[in-house]
Amino acid sequence: MAEPVLLLEGVFKSYGNGVVTEVLKGVDLRVERGEFAALIGPSGSGKSTLLNILGLLDRPTRGRLTIAGEDTAHLDDAGLTRLRGRTIGFVFQFHHLLPGLSAVENVMMPMIAATGRTSKEMVPRARRLLERVGLGEKAGARPNALSGGQQQRVAIARALALDPPLVLADEPTGNLDTKTADQIFEVMREFNRELGVAFLIVTHDPRLATRCDRTIDLVDGRIVSDRRRAGP
Amino acid sequence: MPISWFLALRFFREGRLQSVLIVVGVSVGVAVMVFLSALIDGLQTSLVAQTLGTQAHVVVRPPDEVARPMLASSEAVAIAARVERTAQRSRSIVGWQQVVEGLSAIPSVTAVSPTVTGPAVATRGNATRAVVLYGIDPERFAGIYPIRERMVAGRFEPTGTGCVIGRELALDLGVGEGDRLRLGSVEGASEVYTVAGVFDLGNREVNRRWVVISTRGAQTLLDLVGGVSSVDLRLRDIYSADEVAADITARTGLIADSWMKTNAQLLVALRSQSSSSQMIQFFVILAVAMGIASVLVVSVVQKGKEIGILRAMGVGRSSVLWVFLIQGAMVGLIGSVIGTALGTGLGVLFAGMVRNADGSPTFPVTVSLALVARSAAIAFFTGVFAAALPARSAARLDPAVAIRNG
Ligand SMILES: Nc1ncnc2c1ncn2[C@@H]1O[C@H](COP(=O)(O)OP(=O)(O)OP(=O)(O)O)[C@@H](O)[C@H]1O
Ligand SMILES: [Mg+2]
């Protein structure tokens, strides 16, 4: 079997040093390249915490995290930042676009971060991504001038800017109406099918969860069920 | 464009009102600094120039004659209080030609003028005035005093029996160019001179007292044939006068008075003026630094979430640090450019407003390149330093926390 894009072994995470709250209580998880998985669970069960750890924004208290074959334990801050930029795209519940940048500049941001400077070649690639999410016309617009759904499309385009093997999405449709949520979901699905990008999507929407290839259920810091549906 | 520059420019543009306000604040601060410095520099330069318009930088004269009581030393102590300074009659510097040669050889000395000077009386009809004779070589004298440019009538030609006098004396005696007057010394000699020209050195007392004639004429009148009573010097750096004077005394045994000693009070006043201006500038810089820092601190707090996102996008800590340092530097630089322009403009305006009776500026407001460069450098570094703290806190933001709190 090919190397998984994500491998989590016995991960614990607790917060606080006086009163310690253990949020993750031993999580093992393996995500293959090209998977399209939903992470569900009640509020407060630790989904966002888990996603932050997977996204290298936070470190586990205990346990091993391997991303694209690279063990993350020995990496320093700069190393984590580099690995994150190369391998992981983020989509958040709130689009989290930079208000001072145009749509196309927001999409360029991971490329700029990766090379440390802006360059002209980034623009056409960012524009192509925006076209793919159906926002070719809005390249120059500021996030504030876009609707919630459009903002989230820009955020998805941004997550894919560096062609990462994995995109982590934390309730990407949580703030959208059903119709828009479906559209956003479809955009992600397309990227998954056409480019083979793996997605791990946190969602509270059971309807969307059932449309994923895999459903991981996190309850009180433990994975209680992990079901794969038979291929399409 | 490097990422930090790109983001700094975008942030700067995004917080338009904040950016404008803080740039205005820095500009005003820099303007105050430039204006104050220019004003005080100008004021001091013109005060010193005015003072030195009628004073040599260093005057070398023979040592005082000391009355020596013919007593044993123990008794001399008791009686010393009663020993008076002898009345100083005009005396010559021994071997003055060599002295002049020696003084001319000092590198910091730019002009040397041997002078025969002493008290005299000027008479015209029944008007009589006490004056001071200056017997000089015109060429050398003009190297010390800006007298050629200050002639109000006639020419500066104190040769033969021609004399050059000040405006007030001319008025007092009722003489003008071509008129005659009699000069008599306390030694009893007297001679009729013709007024060759009238000067105005900008100092009433000088204009009233100075009578400039030829060296030979003064030597005759003051009974000092072949001698000179003092040597006037002009220096390249006026503030080296004390050292040069001390050096001359040590080497020749002659008395050397520097203008700095003669005008000690003026210098003390100038110095305290400078230090109070420096203090004001220091507080202005402090206020500017606080302004920049507070704006950036607020901006870091406001942008906490965005910084977290940037970090999640793969932007490194050091880049985040630089984004804010650059913003501080930018604010400092833009502010210093606008501020120097504003301060210079203010100075020019001020110089134009405050004028003498004759319409000439009271004093030049001097905005030197050095001043501009210094202010710009101060504003720049103030900006960077003020940004350091907020930049550090921005770089230390935990992206996970920043995003969660969004
Ligand atoms: N930085 C933190 N310090 C202390 N406790 C934290 C911290 N972050 C999360 N927690 C706690 O960890 C638990 C899990 O939080 P998390 O955000 O991962 O839940 P979640 O599954 O994403 O919930 P939701 O569905 O509401 O988004 C919560 O009880 C929360 O209070
Ligand atoms: Mg959550």
Side-chain angles (χ1 to χ4, degrees):
Chain A
M1 197 191 235
E3 161 192 278
V5 67
L6 190 83
L7 186 62
L8 206 56
E9 295 161 286
V11 161
F12 289 77
K13 177 70 185 179
S14 17
Y15 287 112
N17 30 24
V19 189
V20 178
T21 36
E22 192 157 69
V23 180
L24 298 180
K25 302 165 182 173
V27 177
D28 299 292
L29 182 65
R30 183 185 171 100
V31 177
E32 308 297 337
R33 292 184 185 267
E35 269 199 298
F36 198 72
L39 177 63
I40 61 169
S43 184
S45 58
K47 303 184 295 294
S48 297
T49 304
L50 180 59
L51 225 60
N52 283 341
I53 288 174
L54 298 179
L56 304 174
L57 295 177
D58 214 344
R59 280 178 189 269
T61 316
R62 201 140 54 81
R64 243 162 80 104
L65 170 60
T66 312
I67 292 191
E70 189 158 353
D71 187 353
T72 60
H74 64 276
L75 291 176
D76 64 356
D77 192 76
L80 288 180
T81 302
R82 224 173 301 120
L83 180 62
R84 176 167 61 230
R86 235 174 344 105
T87 55
I88 298 167
F90 280 99
V91 182
F92 306 95
Q93 174 174 4
F94 306 99
H95 57 82
H96 282 342
L97 297 174
L98 298 175
L101 273 56
S102 65
V104 71
E105 285 172 341
N106 265 289
V107 176
M108 282 160 63
M109 202 59 236
M111 312 184 206
I112 299 171
T115 57
R117 49 177 49 253
T118 60
S119 89
K120 285 200 173 59
E121 301 89 76
M122 295 172 179
V123 181
R125 170 160 171 78
R127 280 183 182 279
R128 263 199 310 280
L129 280 164
L130 279 177
E131 275 158 26
R132 284 194 79 122
V133 298
L135 280 179
E137 254 91 273
K138 300 282 187 184
R142 290 294 169 83
N144 291 343
L146 300 174
S147 73
Q150 288 172 330
Q151 289 171 342
Q152 209 57 301
R153 285 166 195 261
V154 176
I156 292 168
R158 178 178 65 180
L160 290 155
L162 290 178
D163 237 336
L166 173 68
V167 170
L168 302 173
D170 196 349
E171 300 186 47
T173 61
N175 260 18
L176 305 173
D177 60 73
T178 321
K179 190 165 154 259
T180 316
D182 281 355
Q183 290 171 350
I184 294 300
F185 189 84
E186 272 319 306
V187 169
M188 293 193 284
R189 194 56 165 155
E190 258 170 56
F191 276 114
N192 168 250
R193 285 212 188 92
E194 290 169 22
L195 303 176
V197 182
F199 278 79
L200 182 60
I201 305 168
V202 173
T203 180
H204 280 287
D205 186 343
R207 227 172 28 86
L208 294 180
T210 55
R211 287 162 61 184
C212 295
D213 302 336
R214 180 181 174 190
T215 307
I216 303 154
D217 199 352
L218 188 73
V219 177
D220 194 22
R222 288 191 185 86
I223 293 177
V224 295
S225 88
D226 187 348
R227 285 156 293 155
R228 274 202 177 76
R229 240 188 325 274
Chain B
M1 195 190 315
I3 180 165
S4 303
W5 277 96
F6 174 73
L7 289 171
L9 286 171
R10 288 299 186 275
F11 280 4
F12 192 74
R13 194 182 66 185
E14 187 194 350
R16 205 166 296 142
L17 184 64
Q18 269 177 6
S19 307
V20 167
L21 285 180
I22 188 60
V23 165
V24 168
V26 176
S27 304
V28 169
V30 173
V32 167
M33 255 166 59
V34 169
F35 176 62
L36 205 65
S37 296
L39 197 68
I40 288 190
D41 284 359
L43 188 67
Q44 298 199 342
T45 309
S46 95
L47 264 177
V48 169
Q50 217 164 46
T51 304
L52 294 182
T54 57
Q55 284 183 26
H57 297 167
V58 174
V59 178
V60 180
R61 54 189 175 84
D64 285 346
E65 267 173 1
V66 181
R68 263 181 267 274
M70 298 303 216
L71 292 170
S73 60
S74 60
E75 290 160 272
V77 177
I79 216 161
R82 284 187 49 236
V83 176
E84 289 165 17
R85 212 162 158 270
T86 54
Q88 301 286 308
R89 65 182 280 280
S90 298
R91 281 175 306 105
S92 177
I93 295 174
V94 180
W96 64 270
Q97 286 89 344
Q98 283 95 311
V99 170
V100 166
E101 236 166 75
L103 293 176
S104 307
I106 299 174
S108 55
V109 172
T110 56
V112 179
S113 171
T115 308
V116 182
T117 181
V121 171
T123 316
R124 157 84 175 177
N126 41 19
T128 300
R129 290 290 181 272
V131 297
V132 179
L133 286 182
Y134 277 81
I136 47 86
D137 173 75
E139 219 39 64
R140 286 176 173 273
F141 188 76
I144 305 281
Y145 303 100
I147 194 159
R148 286 224 159 92
E149 303 89 80
R150 301 293 176 81
M151 297 303 293
V152 291
R155 308 162 68 109
F156 179 65
E157 276 171 2
T159 46
T161 55
C163 71
V164 177
I165 63 174
R167 201 170 60 170
E168 263 74 13
L169 184 61
L171 285 176
D172 286 354
L173 295 177
V175 294
E177 185 194 352
D179 290 341
R180 288 154 173 262
L181 52 78
R182 178 169 286 278
L183 295 174
S185 71
V186 284
E187 279 79 10
S190 95
E191 184 68 59
V192 173
Y193 275 80
T194 308
V195 177
V198 178
F199 63 79
D200 177 4
L201 279 173
N203 178 317
R204 201 172 281 269
E205 197 49 32
V206 167
N207 288 349
R208 180 164 287 147
R209 307 262 290 171
W210 283 18
V211 174
V212 183
I213 58 177
S214 69
T215 309
R216 189 171 296 271
Q219 283 171 336
T220 310
L221 280 173
L222 297 172
D223 190 17
L224 209 69
V225 175
V228 303
S229 43
S230 65
V231 180
D232 290 356
L233 304 182
R234 188 175 183 81
L235 307 180
R236 190 163 286 120
D237 171 17
I238 57 172
Y239 292 102
S240 70
D242 270 345
E243 286 160 48
V244 173
D247 184 47
I248 290 169
T249 301
R251 283 211 300 211
T252 63
L254 299 168
I255 292 182
D257 290 326
S258 84
W259 74 275
M260 297 170 79
K261 200 174 100 192
T262 329
N263 300 279
Q265 257 174 327
L266 174 73
L267 283 174
V268 168
L270 293 186
R271 234 167 259 143
S272 57
Q273 194 183 39
S274 291
S275 58
S276 61
S277 125
Q278 273 158 14
M279 202 154 79
I280 294 172
Q281 291 185 38
F282 172 76
F283 284 112
V284 168
I285 293 168
L286 204 66
V288 164
M290 297 293 185
I292 296 177
S294 71
V295 163
L296 287 176
V297 164
V298 170
S299 157
V300 168
V301 172
Q302 281 179 337
K303 295 209 178 312
K305 194 183 77 178
E306 291 176 43
I307 294 164
I309 299 160
L310 284 170
R311 301 274 286 114
M313 300 290 109
V315 177
R317 272 184 205 282
S318 65
S319 299
V320 172
L321 186 85
W322 276 107
V323 168
F324 287 89
L325 288 182
I326 289 169
Q327 284 191 84
M330 250 175 2
V331 165
L333 268 187
I334 299 175
S336 73
V337 169
I338 300 177
T340 21
L342 210 67
T344 310
L346 221 63
V348 170
L349 206 73
F350 189 81
M353 254 162 31
V354 184
R355 283 181 180 281
N356 290 327
D358 63 358
S360 66
T362 311
F363 48 83
V365 175
T366 43
V367 181
S368 62
L369 203 66
L371 174 62
V372 171
R374 198 192 57 159
S375 309
I378 289 177
F380 175 79
F381 285 111
T382 304
V384 174
F385 279 121
L389 216 70
R392 253 167 51 115
S393 71
R396 285 184 175 175
L397 272 183
D398 181 347
V401 172
I403 290 171
R404 191 178 8 251
N405 295 345

